[in-house]
Amino acid sequence: MRRGWRLWAAALSVYAFLYLPLAVVVVYSFNDSRLNAEWIGFTLRWYEVLLHDREMLLAAGNSLFIALVSSLAATLLGTMAGMAMHRYRIRMLAFMVLTPVAMPEILLGVSLLLFFIQVLNLTLGMLSIVLAHITFSIGFVAVIVRARLAGVEESLFEAARDCGASQWQTFRHITLPLILPAVVAGGLMAFTLSIDDFVITFFTAGVGVQTLPLRIYSMIKIAVTPEVNAVSTLLMLLTLTLIVLASRFAPDALKGKA
Amino acid sequence: MAMLEIKNVTRRFGDFSAVENVSLSIESGEFFTLLGPSGCGKTTILRMLAGFDLPDAGQILLDGKDMVDTPPEKRPVRTVFQNYALFPHMTVAQNVAFPLKMARIPAAVQRKQLQEALEQVHLTDKAAAYPHELSGGQKQRVALARGLVSRPRLLLLDEPLGALDAKLREEMQVDLINLQRDVGITFVFVTHAQVEALALSHRIAVMRAGKVEQVDEPSRLYSAPCNRFVADFIGHINLLDASVLQAAHGHHVHLDIAGLGEVLAPPHVGLASGGKGYFAIRPEQVRIGVHEEVRELKNHFSATVQQFLYRGDVTVYKVRLDNGMVLEALLPNAAPGRARLFEVGDTVSVGWRHDAGVFLVA
Ligand SMILES: Nc1ncnc2c1ncn2[C@@H]1O[C@H](COP(=O)(O)OP(=O)(O)O)[C@@H](O)[C@H]1O
Ligand SMILES: [Mg+2]
């Protein structure tokens, strides 16, 4: 029993360490004071300020647009990559797809920046951000899809062809329905990664385009205002929702197996 | 011309020949079985018939047409996979109707054929169930229905009963025989279980290490195996060292069994006097008994009971002949109770008819 108590205490302090800072942000976003110092009273004022902050709204719009486009593209490409990795089992292929996942973000950011400017001669902006986000998301989608495919009985694909299905029909009627949960989970993951990415976006955004994380950062440089707390809270809520959604699909991915 | 011709087919994996120069011809409507120990190349042959694998040499002709350029989805061939390979995200009805859907059969016809197929395997009430809600035997029947629904020319079954328990397996054997007779589709069935092969097949090809050893009807295979491997693989058999005394003498040959003496055996083509080999005889053909009744048989010897195993339907006796060899004999337990007529150590007579057993060239 005593050991059990200690375990609980340890777990509790770890969770506190993880979630207390987040809780502080959420709590102060409702604090009726300009300063993050003491609790004055409850207010929704800072959310109202947000609603009228044109620059913030623009940044949020950009972020959503980038996340949507890049996650859709990454889902498509990542699914194809995951299937290729499963089918061909070439180490080099897996290595190339997965490297961006493990690569330090700062490295990826710098190299993408150089690539866009010096090789592609691209003006940094929306397009370069989207391309960068696709680059680092593909690997995540591919890993999830490949893991799901690894759990699918290989003979199902042969059985489909045996029943007269062409390669395309096999994909449409067998492969896709079976990996769909993983594809959706991967897409949500890519969306989440995109919407709160800072480092890579910072390097590839250029001067014209603001995203939500970039906007928050530039506000913080002046002061951590309650408005920053409010927008962070909203971002947190969105991210959490997406994570819950993505994990909802994961157990589903196993249901079809029995 | 046979419906399915397998001509000198060889399949190598590296230096290893999984299938070596196999030739078989299978008639329309036949229940044909490939029988052999695990790893002898049965699945490899089925995969080449289905189109998942191609021969390195030789030809596969279906209705006279070479199949080499026909991909699996274009062959009029269906497979019942060993692990069933049912689509987990589809209901029983969707699984069974899948080949019809792929063939773009009109919906009304699809419904009719689906209904028929489900009735054939007694699964009408499970049409809306998902595979994970079914028992092993039911999954097996769904796989069968999916294989039969679009009336293929050929149905390939790879150890389809392997995963079922003994009682269910026996039931499914009966169902399979009836089903095959009713639909009239040619079955190529793969198994390593000789009892199953004997019970189900019109003809059996016994395989060993990629080669076909013998192709015959079950009863011929059982009573006249062509060599020691086939004799040993199909059921139990007693093997005695023997040599040919006199090759052809009317309706039988004279053999000399080492240390025992002369016996008469059924005639056999291609035997030469002096040839060495084995005399093979099934345990149920060996009689043991009190001296008079056995002595009426042309081949009889005295022996000592060494051991017996009571198996319910029969008792298996192991008796030691005077030359030191041990023979197995089966005695049916026809009367109620224990039919152990003999005890260990009893001296008995053993014998067999002159038309029983077979001489196998070494
Ligand atoms: N794709 C393959 N690559 C290498 N060896 C294989 C392959 N498929 C089968 N084999 C080998 O060929 C032999 C025959 O296999 P298989 O046809 O599956 O035997 P069976 O079905 O009679 O048990 C086995 O020794 C097996 O290891
Ligand atoms: Mg096999």
Side-chain angles (χ1 to χ4, degrees):
Chain A
M1 271 291 105
R2 272 210 353 245
R3 262 184 67 177
W5 178 84
R6 279 186 204 176
L7 206 64
W8 272 105
L12 225 61
S13 44
V14 169
Y15 279 114
F17 184 74
L18 283 174
Y19 288 104
L20 228 47
L22 297 177
V24 167
V25 169
V26 175
V27 168
Y28 276 104
S29 76
F30 296 109
N31 189 14
D32 197 1
S33 157
R34 273 235 147 259
L35 304 168
N36 277 327
E38 53 177 335
W39 180 259
I40 304 293
F42 181 85
T43 181
L44 287 176
R45 198 168 96 209
W46 308 118
Y47 290 88
E48 211 184 308
V49 172
L50 263 188
L51 278 181
H52 296 100
D53 184 339
R54 282 212 40 207
E55 251 188 285
M56 185 67 92
L57 289 179
L58 193 66
N62 284 341
S63 272
L64 283 175
F65 176 78
I66 291 164
L68 202 67
V69 174
S70 71
S71 65
L72 281 177
T75 303
L76 188 71
L77 295 170
T79 301
M80 281 157 59
M83 287 177 58
M85 273 153 57
H86 176 76
R87 166 110 43 106
Y88 300 109
R89 289 164 214 242
I90 302 169
R91 271 174 169 249
M92 197 59 198
L93 181 73
F95 184 76
M96 276 160 52
V97 173
L98 300 183
T99 299
V101 172
M103 183 94 79
E105 270 198 273
I106 184 116
L107 247 172
L108 203 57
V110 171
S111 38
L112 282 169
L113 171 67
L114 292 178
F115 180 71
F116 288 145
I117 291 182
Q118 297 190 341
V119 181
L120 292 190
N121 228 338
L122 197 72
T123 314
L124 296 181
M126 210 64 131
L127 181 62
S128 58
I129 301 176
V130 168
L131 288 178
H133 284 204
I134 293 172
T135 308
F136 71 70
S137 301
I138 286 177
F140 287 92
V141 180
V143 173
I144 298 173
V145 168
R146 184 178 66 163
R148 172 72 183 131
L149 270 174
V152 176
E153 199 80 62
E154 202 62 37
S155 59
L156 291 185
F157 306 121
E158 286 192 346
R161 296 194 65 198
D162 195 72
C163 288
S166 64
Q167 304 235 21
W168 165 248
Q169 285 173 315
T170 301
F171 174 77
R172 201 172 95 67
H173 294 290
I174 310 298
T175 317
L176 189 59
L178 288 176
I179 62 171
L180 194 61
V183 172
V184 173
L188 290 170
M189 183 97 172
F191 192 93
T192 315
L193 288 171
S194 167
I195 206 148
D196 66 5
D197 178 76
F198 176 77
V199 177
I200 292 171
T201 314
F202 183 77
F203 279 98
T204 52
V207 282
V209 183
Q210 282 264 26
T211 67
L212 212 48
L214 294 187
R215 174 79 194 134
I216 292 171
Y217 175 70
S218 65
M219 286 169 77
I220 283 177
K221 275 195 290 196
I222 303 159
V224 182
T225 62
E227 198 189 342
V228 171
N229 289 335
V231 72
S232 302
T233 301
L234 288 179
L235 191 56
M236 215 185 301
L237 198 67
L238 178 65
T239 311
L240 265 174
T241 312
L242 289 171
I243 290 173
V244 168
L245 272 180
S247 63
R248 271 286 176 83
F249 278 96
D252 249 31
L254 302 171
K255 207 169 71 181
K257 267 199 76 182
Chain B
M1 170 137 196
M3 183 192 115
L4 176 67
E5 292 273 358
I6 299 173
K7 285 188 174 167
N8 307 102
V9 164
T10 295
R11 177 74 175 104
R12 293 184 204 93
F13 297 109
D15 299 336
F16 169 76
S17 288
V19 174
E20 202 175 331
N21 198 22
V22 163
S23 295
L24 295 168
S25 41
I26 296 168
E27 298 295 334
S28 180
E30 199 170 12
F31 196 129
F32 191 91
T33 296
L34 297 172
L35 172 66
S38 182
C40 71
K42 307 179 297 288
T43 298
T44 307
I45 291 182
L46 277 204
R47 291 178 60 80
M48 290 190 284
L49 294 181
F52 297 123
D53 204 354
L54 291 175
D56 292 313
Q59 278 185 310
I60 294 170
L61 306 175
L62 187 61
D63 294 315
K65 184 174 170 284
D66 193 330
M67 286 284 108
V68 70
D69 291 324
T70 313
E73 62 267 29
K74 296 270 166 58
R75 297 190 184 196
V77 177
R78 296 274 175 277
T79 307
V80 174
F81 292 82
Q82 176 161 15
N83 62 356
Y84 316 127
L86 301 181
F87 307 126
H89 58 296
M90 297 184 190
T91 62
V92 167
Q94 286 168 331
N95 264 283
V96 174
F98 190 70
L100 303 174
K101 191 170 164 187
M102 292 304 103
R104 299 210 164 77
I105 305 230
V109 183
Q110 270 194 38
R111 269 197 299 280
K112 191 172 147 286
Q113 293 187 336
L114 168 66
Q115 203 53 38
E116 248 176 59
L118 289 177
E119 273 164 25
Q120 265 163 354
V121 297
H122 320 296
L123 275 175
T124 316
D125 56 329
K126 290 282 176 199
Y130 281 89
H132 67 90
E133 299 165 338
L134 302 179
S135 71
Q138 289 169 333
K139 285 183 196 170
Q140 178 57 71
R141 302 215 297 272
V142 177
L144 264 174
R146 188 177 66 183
L148 291 169
V149 71
S150 58
R151 304 282 137 153
R153 289 289 286 150
L154 198 60
L155 187 69
L156 311 174
L157 304 101
D158 194 353
E159 314 226 5
L161 311 181
L164 306 180
D165 59 61
K167 194 160 157 44
L168 198 55
R169 197 176 318 159
E170 216 158 287
E171 280 175 32
M172 280 300 296
Q173 286 178 14
V174 175
D175 285 353
L176 264 181
I177 293 173
N178 293 336
L179 195 60
Q180 198 268 340
R181 194 188 46 223
D182 292 348
V183 297
I185 289 169
T186 310
F187 279 26
V188 177
F189 185 91
V190 157
T191 183
H192 64 262
Q194 41 100 7
V195 183
E196 204 166 277
L198 292 176
L200 294 173
S201 324
H202 295 142
R203 282 192 309 149
I204 299 172
V206 180
M207 292 188 62
R208 173 200 198 178
K211 297 197 184 101
V212 171
E213 297 277 314
Q214 185 173 1
V215 184
D216 241 320
E217 291 166 16
S219 61
R220 292 278 308 154
L221 211 55
Y222 189 76
S223 60
C226 72
N227 61 31
R228 192 182 163 161
F229 174 80
V230 176
D232 233 0
F233 193 73
I234 310 278
H236 284 274
I237 201 152
N238 294 298
L239 290 168
L240 305 172
D241 283 323
S243 60
V244 182
L245 281 178
Q246 206 174 348
H249 186 262
H251 295 302
H252 38 253
V253 295
H254 292 257
L255 302 176
D256 178 49
I257 295 183
L260 207 62
E262 188 173 331
V263 300
L264 299 182
H268 195 314
V269 285
L271 281 192
S273 297
K276 297 216 171 298
Y278 308 91
F279 178 68
I281 185 157
R282 301 283 176 195
E284 69 273 17
Q285 293 178 319
V286 178
R287 307 253 186 94
I288 72 174
V290 287
H291 301 258
E292 292 73 33
E293 57 184 59
V294 175
R295 281 208 186 125
E296 285 168 19
L297 296 166
K298 291 232 168 70
N299 304 311
H300 62 88
F301 306 95
S302 78
T304 318
V305 175
Q306 199 181 33
Q307 196 185 3
F308 61 81
L309 294 165
Y310 178 70
R311 285 211 326 225
D313 50 349
V314 293
T315 305
V316 183
Y317 285 91
K318 286 186 197 279
V319 296
R320 183 186 291 277
L321 297 171
D322 291 345
N323 70 348
M325 282 177 173
V326 175
L327 270 187
E328 266 187 30
L330 285 190
L331 234 59
N333 296 327
R338 164 188 106 126
R340 296 175 195 165
L341 302 168
F342 310 104
E343 300 298 334
V344 173
D346 283 0
T347 300
V348 291
S349 277
V350 303
W352 55 88
R353 292 164 57 106
H354 62 277
D355 56 358
V358 62
F359 179 78
L360 303 174
V361 179

